[in-house]
Amino acid sequence: MTPERETRTFQRASLPRHRGHDAAAGAGRSDFAATDDYIGFCEGLRQICGIDLTQYKRPQMERRLRSYWSRLGVTKLTDALPRLRSDAAQLDNLLDRVTINVSQLWRHPDQWARLESGLLQELSAGGRLRAWSAGCSYGAEAYTLAAICSQVIPNATVRISGTDIDQRMVARAKAGEFSAADARTAPPKAMERWFERTADGWRAKPALRSMTNFEVGDLLKLRPAGSSYELIMCRNTVIYFADQIRDELHASFAHALRPGGVLVIGGTERITDAASLGLAPIHPFIYRKS
Ligand SMILES: C[S@@+](CC[C@H](N)C(=O)[O-])C[C@H]1O[C@@H](n2cnc3c(N)ncnc32)[C@H](O)[C@@H]1O
């Protein structure tokens, strides 16, 4: 599948408004700053760069924002908006602070072991594997999957799409470069086989890069077409979202899987009512669509 065709499997559509957002909208936009500088800040940021922080868990996000701005001498969040409008570097720094890009190669090794020992073979029985790393950060998850697929299903046609809201992470993912620390739990033999050494780390070999493509995308806006993937990995990303948004995303992933397809979530996450989405657990944090 070419990147162009893959792009068309995502259709932009607006989400039903989250309750918190509706309440804010009901207050009237001009009242935001007067009543709640956090909501006023979120609305301003949404206008500046399109990222809607009202969909994320407020306590954690607000703590992060206030500690970031208080170090810069700003106590009222809405006072920071003019700076973000006029200073692209400041906006970049802030997004670094709020999007939490932590990742690593072979993160959660037991999940990779389960995929490697039969599951990938089964998912690609039709000769192809279409996989989506949703919230891919700088690509460690997608390249780990590419390396394992190269190892265990060498004859399948494998296309791995990575999506992240943070364009700097997507640029890094396209480069396919990783630090030595990124590889700290990766099997040394696999690293030597599928990555090449650089001055201070590793770069994915062309064989892996040809299996992956990365795009900037907001999971809150993307609507993947039904039955488009055999495998979706969304780990350590929905934990930042409000519960209702997390549940809507899990429903959207279930819809995007073909019957028999598999959803992998993070090791601290849960799906609220997996059965109602047609998902059944087959391993801790791994679900199959019926
Ligand atoms: C902690 S990283 C997880 C990376 C990888 N999945 C892993 O488990 O190693 C979370 C990623 O989610 C991305 N993210 C946050 N909100 C997003 C959104 N609305 N749409 C797409 N990606 C988002 C962040 O930019 C960040 O790179």
Side-chain angles (χ1 to χ4, degrees):
M1 185 181 292
T2 65
E4 288 72 26
R5 275 191 61 197
E6 184 64 19
T7 304
R8 284 202 298 271
T9 65
F10 298 120
Q11 296 155 14
R12 289 188 174 274
S14 52
L15 270 181
R17 275 179 179 271
H18 179 232
R19 263 190 239 103
H21 197 112
D22 279 345
R29 290 185 190 283
S30 58
D31 294 339
F32 280 141
T35 55
D36 186 339
D37 68 327
Y38 175 76
I39 295 293
F41 178 85
C42 292
E43 174 60 13
L45 187 72
R46 193 184 61 75
Q47 286 169 7
I48 293 166
C49 67
I51 295 177
D52 186 357
L53 297 185
T54 62
Q55 313 279 14
Y56 293 71
K57 285 181 180 147
R58 175 163 176 166
Q60 293 92 323
M61 186 59 76
E62 185 169 359
R63 202 164 42 241
R64 237 177 279 146
L65 286 172
R66 291 202 188 277
S67 95
Y68 175 85
W69 286 114
S70 74
R71 277 202 301 279
L72 297 175
V74 178
T75 49
K76 188 173 174 189
L77 292 177
T78 42
D79 289 348
L81 291 169
R83 286 205 204 181
L84 295 177
R85 281 194 194 94
S86 61
D87 183 348
Q90 183 78 77
L91 179 61
D92 270 0
N93 284 339
L94 175 82
L95 294 180
D96 260 347
R97 180 77 183 145
V98 299
T99 54
I100 316 277
N101 306 117
V102 178
S103 193
Q104 73 185 75
L105 296 159
W106 272 266
R107 189 178 193 183
H108 306 317
D110 57 317
Q111 291 185 330
W112 295 112
R114 179 67 185 92
L115 284 167
E116 199 170 348
S117 61
L119 208 42
L120 287 173
Q121 294 84 335
E122 194 189 305
L123 289 172
S124 64
R128 69 174 177 179
L129 182 86
R130 299 164 299 171
W132 182 18
S133 170
C136 64
S137 189
Y138 53 95
E141 186 172 84
Y143 286 108
T144 302
L145 180 60
I148 292 174
C149 288
S150 302
Q151 183 71 35
V152 302
I153 49 170
N155 298 322
T157 302
V158 176
R159 291 300 309 149
I160 302 166
S161 304
T163 309
D164 202 279
I165 199 169
D166 187 334
Q167 61 186 1
R168 291 148 316 147
M169 290 304 121
V170 170
R172 277 183 62 189
K174 286 179 178 172
E177 291 182 354
F178 298 94
S179 67
D182 284 325
R184 62 192 180 279
T185 58
K189 273 190 187 160
M191 288 307 297
E192 293 293 350
R193 180 156 184 204
W194 302 110
F195 294 78
E196 53 202 19
R197 287 184 186 273
T198 61
D200 50 5
W202 300 91
R203 181 185 303 114
K205 287 186 178 171
L208 299 195
R209 294 150 68 98
S210 68
M211 296 159 69
T212 53
N213 75 282
F214 297 95
E215 290 180 339
V216 176
D218 184 346
L219 293 176
L220 303 177
K221 296 178 183 158
L222 296 173
R223 284 289 175 274
S227 294
S228 6
Y229 298 100
E230 278 69 44
L231 173 65
I232 297 177
M233 305 191 73
C234 186
R235 307 185 305 164
N236 312 301
T237 297
V238 300
I239 40 173
Y240 304 112
F241 296 129
D243 292 354
Q244 178 192 339
I245 301 299
R246 176 202 61 205
D247 293 349
E248 287 170 7
L249 279 173
H250 283 150
S252 158
F253 296 147
H255 170 71
L257 284 172
R258 63 122 160 109
V262 160
L263 172 63
V264 183
I265 63 173
T268 59
E269 296 165 12
R270 58 186 286 269
I271 297 179
T272 303
D273 184 2
S276 73
L277 302 180
L279 297 172
I282 54 171
H283 182 79
F285 313 107
I286 302 184
Y287 293 79
R288 189 192 296 283
K289 181 176 173 177
S290 52

